[in-house]
Amino acid sequence: MTFYTRIAGAALMALGATGTLWAEAREVRIASHVSHFSPLHAQSELFAAEVEKRLPGQFEFKLYPGGQLGKEKDLMTNVQAGSIEMINVASGVMKLDKKLGVFDLPWLFDDRAHVRRAMAAGLEVAIRARVEEVGNVQVIGVYENGFRHVINTQRAVAEPFDLEGLKIRISGGKFRQSVFQDMGATPQKVSWGETFTALQSGVVDGAEAATYGFYEQKHFEVASHLSLTSHVYTPSFLLASNAFMESLTDEQRAVFHEVGRAITDQAYEASAALETKYFDEMKDKLEINEVDLKAFKEATSASYDSYVEGQGDDYLVFVRDTAEQ
């Protein structure tokens, strides 16, 4: 049964109780640049299903993962312009404002539990406000895209010096590339779709990405080591255009915001479950190893100085105050 079939079925069941006709349902597109393997897709499904429970038959949600409606930059532009109702994106939000670049800092969080503590302590509220201030969008939910790790064909990466001499396909801007360069790696620019072939042919020795990216691209078929570096954590952002939200009734608008917050725990749990599933399916194909997080943090601590100098440390206070001692 497809997602659309489930939602349509729920709406038809609600017909007898509410009298709301499915023909009146308003189409709402939720687009993402990443695939259905990603936690972002699961989050969009959660949101759509929960809104359907609260407002049966009023909306027909259509999900467009995998860049069907454009790359992340295009999706951001379109939701700001009001030409699409909703999107679920990740690092593209960081490009709205240098202050939001806090999530590009290496080894910002110890683990997912640390992320949750920092978000609950006030970081999420601050980030929501900043995104809405500079982005001309409404933030419906802040969830998880995930931690990024390193996969490669040469050796296990357990400490910073293990990256020495490795050609690593890096996504992101100059800042992330400089972090890897400082640890001796050679950043390579290769399109994501060509990374499998690049690994296979030796054009690159490795790549860094979220777990679902390695899984969906089957990098485990050509790489031998997956090191859980957790070097960057990226949230996901379920965003709605101002034009769309203003076109809703007061009740509908309230439900969208309420549901966006209400599914937060489920969204994080779904992300963790997906990552565990992908690890389990890859563990027999390649070696998966933990790393010395303390050593990596010490090796990259200087990278925080320029951020604090330019953007202050108010976001970092939430991170430091919620770290386990």
Side-chain angles (χ1 to χ4, degrees):
M1 181 181 293
T2 67
F3 174 74
Y4 303 126
T5 303
R6 295 199 303 272
I7 292 295
L12 289 172
M13 290 176 64
L15 176 60
T18 66
T20 301
L21 296 176
W22 177 248
E24 298 174 354
R26 181 175 179 180
E27 180 180 291
V28 179
R29 296 164 296 171
I30 307 180
S32 183
H33 61 299
V34 289
S35 77
H36 66 280
F37 289 103
S38 74
L40 281 68
H41 188 68
Q43 295 152 16
S44 297
E45 286 190 322
L46 278 171
F47 176 80
E50 192 60 32
V51 170
E52 177 59 34
K53 290 179 185 177
R54 297 278 299 274
L55 301 171
Q58 294 186 32
F59 297 96
E60 180 184 8
F61 288 94
K62 292 187 176 181
L63 308 189
Y64 294 90
Q68 294 179 56
L69 299 187
K71 295 181 179 180
E72 190 175 31
K73 181 179 180 180
D74 300 322
L75 295 179
M76 289 293 299
T77 298
N78 289 337
V79 79
Q80 289 173 309
S83 56
I84 188 170
E85 295 80 28
M86 299 183 71
I87 63 174
N88 200 345
V89 291
S91 58
V93 174
M94 308 298 101
K95 297 173 184 177
L96 289 173
D97 178 60
K98 289 183 178 180
K99 193 173 181 67
L100 294 170
V102 65
F103 291 106
D104 279 333
L105 291 172
W107 289 279
L108 184 64
F109 299 105
D110 297 327
D111 50 30
R112 185 176 283 108
H114 185 194
V115 174
R116 298 298 309 277
R117 292 194 301 271
M119 290 295 191
L123 181 59
E124 180 181 332
V125 171
I127 294 298
R128 277 177 173 267
R130 188 71 173 186
V131 172
E132 292 190 345
E133 177 187 354
V134 301
N136 189 36
V137 294
Q138 293 194 32
V139 179
I140 303 301
V142 180
Y143 313 120
E144 175 180 307
N145 183 53
F147 284 97
R148 300 179 76 86
H149 307 298
V150 173
I151 199 167
N152 81 94
T153 61
Q154 302 299 310
R155 55 181 175 268
V157 173
E159 297 187 64
F161 61 78
D162 291 321
L163 286 167
E164 183 74 37
L166 293 182
K167 297 173 292 183
I168 306 292
R169 185 267 183 191
I170 309 285
S171 70
K174 294 180 180 179
F175 180 76
R176 191 179 301 171
Q177 292 182 31
S178 68
V179 168
F180 275 83
Q181 284 177 321
D182 290 345
M183 292 183 289
T186 303
Q188 300 289 310
K189 283 196 172 182
V190 177
S191 70
W192 182 239
E194 295 176 355
T195 302
F196 181 98
T197 302
L199 284 165
Q200 191 175 45
S201 64
V203 170
V204 299
D205 299 312
E208 60 87 37
T211 305
Y212 69 84
F214 297 138
Y215 178 81
E216 70 177 1
Q217 293 293 319
K218 300 185 184 299
H219 289 166
F220 54 83
E221 293 184 354
V222 290
S224 53
H225 298 277
L226 172 56
S227 301
L228 306 185
T229 53
S230 301
H231 51 277
V232 168
Y233 174 85
T234 309
S236 62
F237 296 86
L238 184 60
L239 307 176
S241 78
N242 282 321
F244 168 66
M245 293 299 288
E246 290 166 4
S247 72
L248 301 179
T249 67
D250 290 344
E251 179 193 20
Q252 291 171 335
R253 193 179 306 115
V255 167
F256 271 57
H257 282 295
E258 289 167 8
V259 168
R261 294 179 186 275
I263 66 169
T264 299
D265 287 343
Q266 289 175 274
Y268 277 102
E269 290 166 5
S271 298
L274 280 174
E275 187 170 57
T276 298
K277 174 180 181 291
Y278 297 150
F279 283 150
D280 286 345
E281 295 191 21
M282 289 191 291
K283 66 183 180 181
D284 293 332
K285 309 291 186 180
L286 78 178
E287 178 185 330
I288 301 177
N289 69 279
E290 301 287 344
V291 306
D292 185 345
L293 290 177
K294 183 179 180 181
F296 279 104
K297 286 183 177 183
E298 291 175 351
T300 58
S301 60
S303 62
Y304 283 62
D305 296 341
S306 61
Y307 176 83
V308 172
E309 181 179 350
Q311 309 303 325
D313 69 346
D314 44 321
Y315 291 170
L316 294 175
V317 169
F318 294 117
V319 177
R320 290 195 296 263
D321 288 352
T322 54
E324 289 187 341
Q325 303 300 319

